[in-house]
């Protein structure tokens, strides 16, 4: 599991807020109870932000890896079948050129 700074700090704030809320509830201190609940919300939001950052980073890595493998596959096919690659490039170019014409 990949955990960045925001996730760690968010989890710590949530746990600290829970302890403060429980202490406030046990001692009858409404201010501590409310402050603890607020810290839990802030900590949860920070943890979620960290999770989003991790997910975005993982997605970017997967896209980079996939793009690299696609580039390698294209290169291997061009090297193995150069005439076919040129024919495909010409056909694609012709089709793109035809799309831009008005009739």
């Amino acid at each position: 599991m990949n955990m960045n700074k925001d996730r760690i700090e968010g989890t710590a704030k949530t746990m600290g807020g829970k302890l403060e809320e429980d202490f406030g509830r046990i001692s009858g201190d409404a201010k501590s109870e409310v402050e603890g609940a607020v810290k839990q919300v802030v900590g949860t939001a920070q943890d979620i932000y960290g999770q989003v950052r991790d997910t975005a980073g993982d997605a970017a890595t997967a896209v980079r890896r996939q793009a690299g493998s696609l580039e390698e596959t294209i290169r291997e096919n061009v090297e193995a079948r150069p005439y076919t690659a040129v024919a495909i490039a010409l056909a694609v170019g012709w089709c793109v050129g035809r799309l831009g014409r008005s009739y």
Side-chain angles (χ1 to χ4, degrees), residues 35-100:
E35 287 177 353
V38 169
K39 286 180 184 175
Q40 286 180 67
V41 171
V42 170
T44 300
Q46 187 172 3
D47 182 40
I48 290 170
Y49 172 74
Q51 289 177 29
V52 169
R53 282 185 52 201
D54 283 346
T55 301
D58 292 345
T61 300
V63 167
R64 271 189 243 113
R65 189 178 314 119
Q66 190 66 21
S69 89
L70 177 61
E71 179 184 352
E72 185 177 317
T73 301
I74 291 171
R75 184 181 312 113
E76 288 172 358
N77 281 312
V78 167
E79 290 172 357
R81 298 175 202 83
Y83 296 117
T84 303
V86 169
I88 290 171
L90 287 171
V92 169
W94 183 81
C95 289
V96 169
R98 298 291 292 174
L99 290 174

